Amino acid sequence: MKKVLKIIGLFIFIGLVGWVVFYLYNQTKKDPVVYETENAEVTNIIKKTVATGSVVPRKEIEIKPQESGIITELYVEPGDLVEKGDLIAKIQIIPEMVQVNNAETQLRKAEINYKNAEIEFKRKKELYTTGVIPESEYLEESLRFETAKADRDAAENNLQLIKEGVTANMKNQTNTLIRSTINGMVLDVPIKEGNSVIKSNTFNDGTTVATVADMGKMVFEGKVDETEVGKIREGMDLLLSIGAIEDEKYDARLESIAPKGVEENGAIQFEIKAAVNLKEGQFIRAGYSATADIVLDRRDSVIAIKEKLISFSNDSAFVEIATGEQTFEKRLIHTGLSDGINIEVKDGITAEDKIKVPKS
């Protein structure tokens, strides 16, 4: 019995050893490598750089008051179309007490001088009528009287201007009515009725009552990295993609490149501007973010292959062309323009050649 068990155990051991050997053999045995092939194709190669930025109106004006005061009426809202001269708002002037006091003092002085000049003029007129004084003396007194009258009128107008911002003689010419200075669309009205506003002076820019822009003329403002700015020039064509408008492309033409760069996040950026060509009826809202593709160079209808198919050796480019079933030969090629994915092949292959796809 023991002998039988030993024989059985021996067979089991031999079987396990054989299974292990067979398993290891299968693990070390590799399947043959099968390479795929691709054909060259006739296509367009476009080398471009990308600039990010936004689309803004070419002419955007901030409307500011000519006098300080309180907004009593607003005549426009964002989105309204206005023409040059249209009313934007009306303000009530709140004069400074020092200015009012000085103007009132000047008016009182002018009235006193006027009354004295009037009395003296009447007296001289009677003397001239009776022949007591010569005409020259009468004319001189008449001139003083007219001057005093003009000074009084000027003092009255000055006081009225300070208090009300307008005089009776000015008719429609008043600083209390704020008007649009251009034709366009109202983009923003940052104030409300009852808000205080101040005019522009040496110490501040003044309060913006409304922002008006010509939405028919838009420009793209973006930035290009210093490594790419040397490759672009004014007059180049751009293709704009606006994030908020899907499946729509806009043509633009590069107008200006900033002569000085600005450092942003450790890189030097140069600002560019490009005129956007809007089709009739197209409307773009101000401030949309956009991406501009700037065409640096292009080749149309040329033979091209993917760059991953090329191997390099000693500054020469090679591809492997199929000569049979999974047999290949190296062939020297001359390359041209590349867009980062596809590359132009000037000579060395034809569109019928099957090119080996290297295993990654």
Side-chain angles (χ1 to χ4, degrees):
M1 188 65 182
K2 291 182 180 180
K3 189 175 182 180
V4 172
L5 291 176
K6 288 181 179 179
I7 294 172
I8 293 173
L10 179 62
F11 276 111
I12 293 174
F13 176 76
I14 293 172
L16 288 174
V17 172
W19 180 84
V20 170
V21 172
F22 179 76
Y23 174 79
L24 293 176
Y25 173 76
N26 285 336
Q27 289 295 314
T28 57
K29 185 179 180 182
K30 295 182 179 178
D31 296 330
V33 179
V34 178
Y35 291 97
E36 296 181 354
T37 60
E38 291 186 4
N39 290 87
E41 60 180 351
V42 177
T43 185
N44 300 331
I45 303 295
I46 302 175
K47 184 180 181 181
K48 59 188 179 181
T49 186
V50 177
T52 57
S54 59
V55 178
V56 297
R58 180 181 294 277
K59 183 186 291 185
E60 183 175 331
I61 305 298
E62 292 182 346
I63 308 297
K64 299 179 183 292
Q66 295 178 314
E67 293 291 342
S68 300
I70 295 176
I71 298 293
T72 57
E73 292 183 57
L74 281 172
Y75 301 106
V76 296
E77 294 180 353
D80 289 348
L81 296 175
V82 295
E83 295 184 357
K84 183 178 180 180
D86 286 353
L87 280 175
I88 300 293
K90 182 179 181 181
I91 65 174
Q92 175 186 352
I93 293 179
I94 307 299
E96 296 182 7
M97 297 308 298
V98 174
Q99 291 182 336
V100 174
N101 182 65
N102 291 337
E104 289 177 344
T105 301
Q106 293 297 326
L107 178 58
R108 286 194 295 269
K109 290 180 180 179
E111 287 177 341
I112 293 172
N113 292 334
Y114 171 73
K115 290 179 180 179
N116 290 337
E118 185 180 21
I119 293 171
E120 188 64 21
F121 171 71
K122 290 179 179 179
R123 188 178 69 82
K124 290 288 181 72
K125 185 176 181 181
E126 291 178 0
L127 292 177
Y128 170 70
T129 303
T130 57
V132 176
I133 60 174
E135 183 180 7
S136 60
E137 189 174 340
Y138 165 72
L139 293 176
E140 184 178 349
E141 189 60 40
S142 175
L143 179 60
R144 280 197 293 268
F145 171 66
E146 292 296 334
T147 302
K149 183 180 179 181
D151 290 342
R152 184 201 61 176
D153 292 342
E156 286 180 348
N157 290 337
N158 184 48
L159 180 60
Q160 191 174 10
L161 275 174
I162 292 175
K163 287 183 175 182
E164 303 175 12
V166 63
T167 65
N169 297 330
M170 294 176 66
K171 298 181 181 179
N172 294 330
Q173 298 179 2
T174 172
N175 290 339
T176 61
L177 297 178
I178 304 172
R179 300 179 182 273
S180 175
T181 56
I182 62 170
N183 300 335
M185 177 181 287
V186 179
L187 299 184
D188 186 26
V189 183
I191 52 135
K192 298 180 180 179
E193 291 184 2
N195 285 158
S196 297
V197 295
I198 57 175
K199 65 180 180 180
S200 179
N201 53 48
T202 306
F203 303 102
N204 60 69
D205 294 333
T207 305
T208 299
V209 176
T211 302
V212 180
D214 182 0
M215 301 299 289
K217 297 180 180 179
M218 307 294 286
V219 295
F220 168 77
E221 293 183 353
K223 292 184 178 179
V224 176
D225 190 81
E226 61 180 329
T227 58
E228 301 289 344
V229 73
K231 303 175 184 177
I232 62 177
R233 63 184 184 279
E234 296 176 0
M236 278 186 165
D237 293 329
L238 283 71
L239 194 62
L240 290 183
S241 300
I242 298 177
I245 306 176
E246 296 181 357
D247 303 326
E248 189 73 38
K249 299 290 185 180
Y250 297 88
D251 294 324
R253 183 170 290 271
L254 189 59
E255 287 187 336
S256 65
I257 306 169
K260 181 180 179 181
V262 178
E263 184 176 354
E264 291 186 3
N265 300 323
I268 303 299
Q269 303 287 328
F270 289 82
E271 186 178 41
I272 63 171
K273 291 184 179 180
V276 181
N277 298 324
L278 295 178
K279 299 177 183 177
E280 187 176 354
Q282 282 185 328
F283 175 74
I284 300 178
R285 299 182 186 276
Y288 272 156
S289 60
T291 302
D293 292 332
I294 307 174
V295 178
L296 302 176
D297 198 359
R298 66 181 299 154
R299 301 287 187 274
D300 294 330
S301 301
V302 296
I303 294 179
I305 61 174
K306 291 183 173 58
E307 286 195 3
K308 67 178 183 179
L309 304 179
I310 301 176
S311 59
F312 296 91
S313 177
N314 297 327
D315 298 330
S316 297
F318 298 89
V319 293
E320 293 189 50
I321 305 297
T323 58
E325 187 67 26
Q326 292 296 304
T327 59
F328 303 92
E329 68 172 7
K330 263 191 174 184
R331 187 178 297 177
L332 176 69
I333 61 173
H334 294 90
T335 58
L337 187 66
S338 170
D339 62 5
I341 298 176
N342 297 319
I343 187 169
E344 174 193 5
V345 179
K346 295 181 177 181
D347 61 71
I349 61 173
T350 64
E352 290 75 24
D353 289 331
K354 297 183 180 298
I355 305 168
K356 175 182 174 182
V357 180
K359 293 290 185 179
S360 57

